[in-house]
Amino acid sequence: DVSMLAGILIVVAAVVSGITLTGVRLVYFFQPTGMLIVVGGTIGVTIITTPRRALLNSLRRAFQLVWAPDVNREAVIEEILTYVKVSRNSGLLNIEPLIGEASDPFLKETLLLVLDTRQRDELRTLLETKIRLRERQGESDAKALEVAGGFAPTIGVLGTVVGLIDVLRQFSNVNAVAYGIGTAFVSTIYGLALANFILLPAAHRIRARVAETFEIQELMAEGGLC
């Protein structure tokens, strides 16, 4: 997905450039303690709140965002019309040898159901059920990332509090206090960045992809009914 990768590059470039303009070295933002608390805490809370199967499905869906190809709707329409013409000119059973060449797995399932289902209403119900279940699965996958994005900033604040406690232990050393306060607030930055640059955008992207897939599968379902 070129547009998503471009967005990631823009975000990284903007953040790095902004930090550089402040005169603060990038190395200063690499704090292992804050990173451990935020990343580890967010992963742990997500595992607690999300069933294992749902979490694995969500991760798989997130990785698929990177390389999922765009679907050419015009090509799908032309392919459906090919099956329609064959069934009307030569009979419905003559599309069976062509099903294996279908470009989309859902289209292949639709054509098989067309052959196995005799009643039009029954076929419509089956196809609509399949589409709704897939849409609900996509919403569940997005929800898992959205929940993680909601917890990440709070866990970042927790890391900041831990850092401030450590600062108070060294209150007699002014230099250590100044450095420690800056270090403590890096945890908050980690939490906000993890939520707003990774988890929440990924959840919204999954929903957008699910909506697009829903429209295409509806198109295939209507073609099957024809």
Side-chain angles (χ1 to χ4, degrees), residues 87-106:
S87 66
R88 289 185 175 176
N89 293 333
S90 307
L92 185 60
L93 293 178
N94 285 294
I95 70 170
E96 187 172 7
L98 306 175
I99 292 178
E101 302 174 4
S103 61
D104 186 273
F106 184 80

Side-chain angles (χ1 to χ4, degrees), residues 98-158:
L98 306 175
I99 292 178
E101 302 174 4
S103 61
D104 186 273
F106 184 80
L107 180 57
K108 187 179 296 185
E109 291 180 23
T110 299
L111 295 172
L112 289 173
L113 286 173
V114 167
L115 293 179
D116 295 337
T117 309
R118 296 303 178 188
Q119 298 297 324
R120 179 184 175 85
D121 290 340
E122 182 183 355
L123 176 61
R124 180 183 291 278
T125 300
L126 287 171
L127 292 174
E128 288 181 351
T129 300
K130 279 183 171 292
I131 292 174
R132 298 296 177 185
L133 286 175
R134 295 190 180 198
E135 184 185 23
R136 190 173 299 173
Q137 179 63 57
E139 175 62 27
S140 176
D141 295 340
K143 190 68 177 176
L145 294 178
E146 195 171 60
V147 168
F151 281 112
T154 305
I155 296 174
V157 173
L158 176 63

